[in-house]
Amino acid sequence: MNRIVVLAVFLTSLIYFPAYAESKPFIETRTINPDLANLAAMSAASKCAESGYQVAVAIVDRSGTLQSFMRHPLAGSHTVDVSINKAMTAASFKTATKEMMLNPRLKQLNYVEGVLMIGGGIPILIGGHFYGGIGVSGAPGEKMSGDNDHTCAEAGIESISEAIEFSD
């Protein structure tokens, strides 16, 4: 019986081994530099300020590590954690938190620590590459919770898109 199990495991490994043998021995990733992370945060905050909103903005890398953060002095204290969690959620799922919020199948994720499915978190995807996430918190919702935060986050990404696209 043990020989059959060992043989089955061995044969299965032969089937899957060629796929691993052909892959690179390392993984390449991209991270935006601190200047661009700060520019994205400031641009998002400026977009919200144009409409009179005081917000906090967080930029995280692909693993959810904070890269840049800024908060208007009049933004609520809750906006710190909320913006970071929105950015981390968008980066982790590579999906805008606004879209996640509207998907009823994902409601159970609201119970996972650090996951926040309220509009305002967007993955930073530029030129076919994934860089992380941006989260904005503090702008009042109009049609749905976080819709103005989402608009400001888009402005943050737009502010760095050209610099990244033309750097390749």
Side-chain angles (χ1 to χ4, degrees):
M1 184 66 164
N2 286 340
R3 287 183 180 180
I4 294 172
V5 172
V6 171
L7 182 60
V9 170
F10 176 72
L11 291 175
T12 302
S13 68
L14 289 177
I15 293 169
Y16 292 106
F17 182 73
Y20 292 112
E22 294 175 15
S23 66
K24 292 181 181 179
F26 56 89
I27 297 172
E28 294 176 326
T29 62
R30 291 181 178 217
T31 302
I32 57 175
N33 68 38
D35 291 336
L36 286 182
N38 290 334
L39 175 61
M42 289 303 298
S43 297
S46 293
K47 175 69 174 177
C48 274
E50 289 172 7
S51 299
Y53 308 139
Q54 297 86 31
V55 299
V57 182
I59 308 291
V60 299
D61 66 13
R62 61 188 302 116
S63 67
T65 302
L66 190 62
Q67 297 298 302
S68 180
F69 179 82
M70 69 82 42
R71 176 184 161 266
H72 188 282
L74 298 178
S77 60
H78 70 283
T79 62
V80 174
D81 290 335
V82 171
S83 64
I84 293 170
N85 285 338
K86 286 179 181 183
M88 288 173 34
T89 301
S92 180
F93 293 96
K94 295 183 186 172
T95 304
T97 55
K98 180 176 161 182
E99 293 173 24
M100 294 177 72
M101 177 178 77
L102 298 174
N103 186 338
R105 295 181 305 165
L106 300 179
K107 286 189 187 240
Q108 293 300 321
L109 290 175
N110 276 321
Y111 301 103
V112 176
E113 185 177 342
V115 173
L116 189 56
M117 296 186 297
I118 300 172
I122 302 176
I124 301 173
L125 294 160
I126 301 171
H129 297 283
F130 173 62
Y131 293 90
I134 181 171
V136 178
S137 175
E142 287 182 29
K143 295 179 183 174
M144 65 173 49
S145 180
D147 57 358
N148 284 320
D149 290 336
H150 183 91
T151 300
C152 296
E154 287 177 324
I157 293 172
E158 181 62 32
S159 72
I160 62 172
S161 292
E162 197 170 291
I164 291 175
E165 287 175 350
F166 288 114
S167 68
D168 284 337

